[in-house]
Amino acid sequence: MAALILYVNGAPGIKYELDKTRVTIGRELDNDICLDDACVSKHHAVIEIKSVSLLDETYEYRLIDLGSTNACQVNNERTSLALLTNGDTVRIGNQWFKFDADTDPRPAQAAPAAAPSEAETLRGAAAKLPTEVQMANVSAARDFDTKFSRRLRTF
């Protein structure tokens, strides 16, 4: 799946997956990618994802500027409409992103494994049972939640 990776001080930071057909970018909280930057407009840009071929599952990614004050830049060129390709740099306001398009959005198919023996199945089931320490932690957490909620009600 394609993504925009936010770079901060030259290092990769937050990875925003482009998992919808229309991803909005801006300063307002109703955007899919919300940027806290005064140079970013309330509704700055949109990335539209369109299927090019159903056979090999290829997609086209378009960055569309929504008439923002500071525009968008793709590979250091000011643009209002751009077709994104793998490795493109995108600047929105003072924020720098790298566009990363996976070549295959589907996970690789693993070869079917042999059926586990009865002993392996029993060992796996026993490993999933909670230990005494885990049970003690659950009851301690439940007690803490109860005491904490009581304290909140007293204010």
Side-chain angles (χ1 to χ4, degrees):
M1 178 175 303
L4 277 180
I5 302 169
L6 177 66
Y7 275 72
V8 179
N9 297 327
I14 301 171
K15 181 177 183 179
Y16 297 99
E17 302 237 346
L18 304 176
D19 55 355
K20 297 167 43 177
T21 57
R22 184 175 166 89
V23 178
T24 59
I25 304 169
R27 201 176 64 236
E28 285 287 313
L29 295 175
D30 62 347
N31 290 294
D32 298 312
I33 299 175
C34 184
L35 302 173
D36 186 22
D37 182 350
C39 293
V40 175
S41 297
K42 291 179 181 180
H43 297 99
H44 199 98
V46 169
I47 295 179
E48 288 184 348
I49 301 149
K50 294 186 179 181
S51 177
V52 176
S53 171
L54 293 175
L55 295 175
D56 59 355
E57 294 187 14
T58 54
Y59 297 93
E60 181 178 87
Y61 301 88
R62 289 186 188 182
L63 176 70
I64 303 167
D65 185 81
L66 298 175
S68 63
T69 304
N70 295 316
C72 297
Q73 289 184 5
V74 176
N75 297 328
N76 294 325
E77 291 185 26
R78 191 177 177 125
T79 183
S80 59
L81 175 65
L83 189 62
L84 298 176
T85 57
N86 193 29
D88 281 349
T89 58
V90 178
R91 181 178 176 191
I92 298 175
N94 292 321
Q95 310 298 314
W96 286 92
F97 297 90
K98 181 179 177 186
F99 178 70
D100 180 32
D102 286 345
T103 55
D104 187 8
R106 295 169 290 151
Q109 295 287 333
S117 66
E118 187 177 337
E120 290 173 338
T121 305
L122 290 174
R123 264 188 248 120
K128 292 179 184 175
L129 292 174
T131 63
E132 291 176 25
V133 172
Q134 290 170 332
M135 293 303 291
N137 287 342
V138 168
S139 64
R142 192 176 302 127
D143 291 343
F144 175 78
D145 286 343
T146 305
K147 291 174 186 172
F148 186 72
S149 63
R150 283 187 198 137
R151 270 190 247 135
L152 285 177
R153 281 187 251 144
T154 60
F155 288 114

